[in-house]
Amino acid sequence: MFLELAFGQFAALGPAAIFDRFCPLFTGLGYGMIAISGMVALYYTVIIGWCILYLFISFTAVLPWEDCHPDWATQYCYSYSAADACAAVNGSIYFNQTCYNATSAIEGNIHHLLNTTHAERHAPAQDYFEVEILGLSPGIEVIGNVRWKVILCLAAAWTLTFLALGKGVKSTGKVVYFTALFPYLVLCILFFRGVTLPGAMDGVLYYITPRFEKLTDAKVWSDAAAQIFFALSPAWGGLITLSSYNKFHNNCLKDSLIVSFGNICTSLFAGFVIFCIIGYLAKELDMPIDKVVDEGAGLAFVVYPDVVTRLPISPLWAILFFVMMITLGMGSEFALLETCLTAIQDTYPSLRKKKVWVVLVTCIIGFCGGIIVTTQGGMFVLQLMDNYVSSWSVFIMAAGESALVGWVYGADRFLQDVQMMIGPMSRKTQIFFTIFWKYLSPLTLVSVLLFNLIQYKPLAYGNYTYPGWANGLGWVLSLVPMIIISALAIKKIYYTPSGNMSLFEKIKFLLKPSPAWGPAHKVPQFKMDDEDDEDDGIVSNPNFTITNIREISA
């Protein structure tokens, strides 16, 4: 994280332009990062759309998923309130949304059926999400129809994104103050409520009890790495993009420490909040904690919606929770889209004066790209993209980026550039970062990648296993950044004048920084009251470089 913050801040360039100057041979590395951010934004916004839909639904006296409803409930739907009411009638038994008296239970062998399906029963919230909201198809082979409520909420999510990003990074920063801080308020409220629920301590003990055998599972390491990459956004282009707007002498080392440790503490605290509630749910369902909910969307759209139904004033808790989810999602969405927008404007500087139109067109394209995820088979598409797009190639690019700085450019040389910005660093600190950039970071990421390749299994969602062609499509998506990097490297080699250079000498030449590489603070500073001023003459002046324009814009 420190590497990328310092990298973007030093040159005041986004990923599309910075690698072309830093290491021309790997100019595609920046575009690979942008490709990942763009693909993730397509399906990530749909999740925000689900949250918006649930928020609207929560404005009601009684939440619709409190009980099993015949329009969407499956045979395994288990309503707590109905079960409790049934049990109060002379020991009657509740099964398959029906209350059986003692005689009927014996005649119908209900006790045996109840034990047989005990492990499969689930809360109404699960059926509501999968049947009523998603209309979930049997698999990715059956895409089905578009869910009109979901697509309307997807449009609302992209509209919010446009309104927040349309005026540039200054307005984005103001919005992020709310999107970053409000979730902490909701988490605290949910924590203090969660610890008072029966079964909460069982969930907490499950959370803090180590299971060291899991360290031999490649998926655990992959999920851990993916979580960090999602939380901090290294190798996605977001850190380089946002740090490029920093002042040149900003202490990016302090920023990276605050954000990194803040992320760790937030994750640990959120874990306590989550497992208090999961422990409570396990007690209610009379099920093992690890069987209560699967990974992925189930936590946000099954566990929490189900729990709030048994809290006093349940619609209020649901509203608070989904407002928090929307603010969290929008905060991440801003970083993803700002990465893409900065890349467009760095590549085509003339578009800086048409920022609003660039944002509008990008949001329209993003909305159209996300339509397939709003279909009945959209959840399977989302899981496919989530598992392949944001893992394998990200690890490779992060390792490559670290190796470029540590070995090709030189860790010592880069640390000199950093000290030009933030001042002298102790020798121990320099050694610490040198070891990480040259050895630990690349080796760890490559090891995780190899570990996962060795233990690779075809993708599955619940009891559904993806067909071979779907996994093949996932691999194609994961290789998109690699294809971009390779294609642009070949293009650079081909169009570089050869002179008397051999292929090896040409590659060696392209590994060196271009003459345009250097610190942003060497560029004359210009003050501008309005970044969209029509009379500033920036674009028409041939002496203005990308760096000039970005300095003025910042």
Side-chain angles (χ1 to χ4, degrees):
M1 184 178 185
F2 175 47
L3 183 153
E4 289 205 345
L5 287 182
F7 192 43
Q9 182 175 307
F10 179 77
L13 294 168
I18 197 169
F19 284 99
D20 190 50
R21 299 187 182 190
F22 180 73
C23 184
L25 184 64
F26 286 96
T27 185
L29 190 58
Y31 287 98
M33 295 177 177
I34 295 159
I36 286 180
S37 291
M39 286 189 288
V40 170
L42 293 181
Y43 71 82
Y44 196 82
T45 315
V46 177
I47 299 175
I48 299 173
W50 292 342
C51 294
I52 293 173
L53 178 56
Y54 266 87
L55 177 63
F56 280 117
I57 294 170
S58 298
F59 284 95
T60 180
V62 179
L63 295 174
W65 57 85
E66 284 194 10
D67 290 304
C68 300
H69 195 280
D71 289 345
W72 45 261
T74 65
Q75 61 175 321
Y76 301 115
C77 185
Y78 185 82
S79 172
Y80 307 100
S81 56
D84 292 341
C86 181
V89 182
N90 297 324
S92 297
I93 299 175
Y94 178 77
F95 174 71
N96 198 14
Q97 292 105 60
T98 305
C99 185
Y100 295 89
N101 58 35
T103 303
S104 300
I106 294 172
E107 292 175 353
N109 199 19
I110 300 301
H111 286 281
H112 173 71
L113 294 174
L114 191 63
N115 292 329
T116 302
T117 61
H118 181 271
E120 297 184 50
R121 72 183 188 185
H122 48 248
Q126 181 170 335
D127 282 350
Y128 185 81
F129 177 59
E130 294 182 349
V131 180
E132 178 67 11
I133 299 296
L134 302 181
L136 198 62
S137 71
I140 197 170
E141 304 93 336
V142 184
I143 290 298
N145 299 320
V146 169
R147 307 292 287 177
W148 69 269
K149 291 182 181 178
V150 177
I151 200 170
L152 287 177
C153 291
L154 175 64
W158 279 108
T159 301
L160 290 173
T161 302
F162 168 73
L163 294 175
L165 297 179
K167 293 298 182 180
V169 292
K170 289 183 179 180
S171 60
T172 307
K174 295 173 183 176
V175 174
V176 168
Y177 276 115
F178 175 77
T179 61
L181 296 177
F182 179 75
Y184 284 98
L185 173 63
V186 179
L187 276 177
C188 289
I189 294 172
L190 290 173
F191 172 74
F192 287 113
R193 182 66 184 102
V195 294
T196 64
L197 297 172
M201 188 53 64
D202 295 334
V204 171
L205 290 175
Y206 181 86
Y207 174 51
I208 64 176
T209 302
R211 284 169 288 281
F212 294 108
E213 69 276 6
K214 290 288 185 181
L215 295 178
T216 61
D217 185 355
K219 193 173 187 306
V220 170
W221 289 92
S222 177
D223 286 349
Q227 170 61 23
I228 289 297
F229 277 89
F230 253 105
L232 299 180
S233 297
W236 288 34
L239 290 178
I240 296 174
T241 298
L242 297 179
S243 64
S244 70
Y245 291 95
N246 284 345
K247 294 180 180 179
F248 185 79
H249 295 292
N250 174 66
N251 192 337
C252 51
L253 175 58
K254 182 180 71 174
D255 292 346
S256 63
L257 290 172
I258 291 173
V259 174
S260 297
F261 283 104
N263 172 64
I264 292 170
C265 295
T266 301
S267 297
L268 289 172
F269 177 62
F272 281 101
V273 177
I274 290 166
F275 278 91
C276 281
I277 294 174
I278 289 179
Y280 168 62
L281 191 58
K283 186 176 181 66
E284 288 287 308
L285 286 170
D286 190 25
M287 293 173 61
I289 290 175
D290 60 339
K291 302 295 183 182
V292 170
V293 66
D294 290 328
E295 59 185 332
L299 188 63
F301 299 101
V302 175
V303 174
Y304 273 106
D306 181 67
V307 168
V308 297
T309 62
R310 289 181 294 283
L311 299 177
I313 322 177
S314 55
L316 174 62
W317 293 97
I319 291 168
L320 279 175
F321 175 72
F322 285 110
V323 169
M324 180 190 76
M325 290 294 292
I326 292 168
T327 54
L328 283 171
M330 295 306 294
S332 299
E333 182 74 2
F334 296 158
L336 294 171
L337 262 293
E338 192 62 53
T339 300
C340 299
L341 294 170
T342 300
I344 294 169
Q345 294 170 101
D346 279 353
T347 305
Y348 305 100
S350 60
L351 293 178
R352 290 187 173 277
K353 300 178 70 64
K354 301 175 182 178
K355 171 82 180 209
V356 175
W357 290 104
V358 173
V359 177
L360 178 61
V361 172
T362 303
C363 289
I364 292 173
I365 293 172
F367 169 75
C368 294
I371 290 176
I372 190 171
V373 191
T374 67
T375 61
Q376 292 173 292
M379 173 58 86
F380 299 103
V381 177
L382 186 151
Q383 293 293 329
L384 183 75
M385 296 180 71
D386 189 44
N387 278 272
Y388 282 100
V389 170
S390 58
S391 57
W392 311 95
S393 53
V394 176
F395 298 163
I396 295 173
M397 290 195 299
E401 182 184 26
S402 188
L404 278 180
V405 171
W407 292 98
V408 179
Y409 186 76
D412 292 338
R413 184 179 176 185
F414 187 71
L415 284 167
Q416 290 175 3
D417 294 342
V418 172
Q419 292 176 91
M420 188 189 302
M421 296 186 294
I422 68 175
M425 301 168 64
S426 70
R427 185 59 186 163
K428 290 182 179 178
T429 303
Q430 294 182 53
I431 293 173
F432 174 85
F433 283 113
T434 298
I435 291 172
F436 265 90
W437 294 339
K438 295 182 72 171
Y439 305 104
L440 292 184
S441 292
L443 289 175
T444 301
L445 289 165
V446 170
S447 298
V448 170
L449 179 64
L450 293 176
F451 198 18
N452 274 273
L453 289 173
I454 292 170
Q455 294 193 7
Y456 171 76
K457 296 178 182 178
L459 183 62
Y461 177 66
N463 296 323
Y464 172 76
T465 301
Y466 281 69
W469 67 265
N471 285 284
L473 177 60
W475 279 108
V476 171
L477 291 174
S478 70
L479 291 174
V480 166
M482 301 300 104
I483 295 170
I484 293 173
I485 293 170
S486 302
L488 290 181
I490 293 171
K491 180 181 177 182
K492 278 286 183 183
I493 294 171
Y494 181 79
Y495 284 103
T496 298
S498 58
N500 296 321
M501 290 190 296
S502 65
L503 177 62
F504 176 77
E505 289 172 332
K506 191 182 287 189
I507 292 173
K508 187 177 179 180
F509 171 75
L510 290 172
L511 285 172
K512 296 178 181 179
S514 74
W517 172 255
H521 84 297
K522 288 185 177 180
V523 179
Q525 300 294 311
F526 295 87
K527 182 179 180 182
M528 186 173 66
D529 294 329
D530 184 358
E531 67 179 288
D532 294 321
D533 190 351
E534 294 295 332
D535 299 320
D536 51 40
I538 294 174
V539 177
S540 62
N541 189 335
N543 296 321
F544 278 88
T545 63
I546 291 176
T547 306
N548 297 134
I549 298 171
R550 289 183 60 74
E551 280 292 315
I552 292 171
S553 178

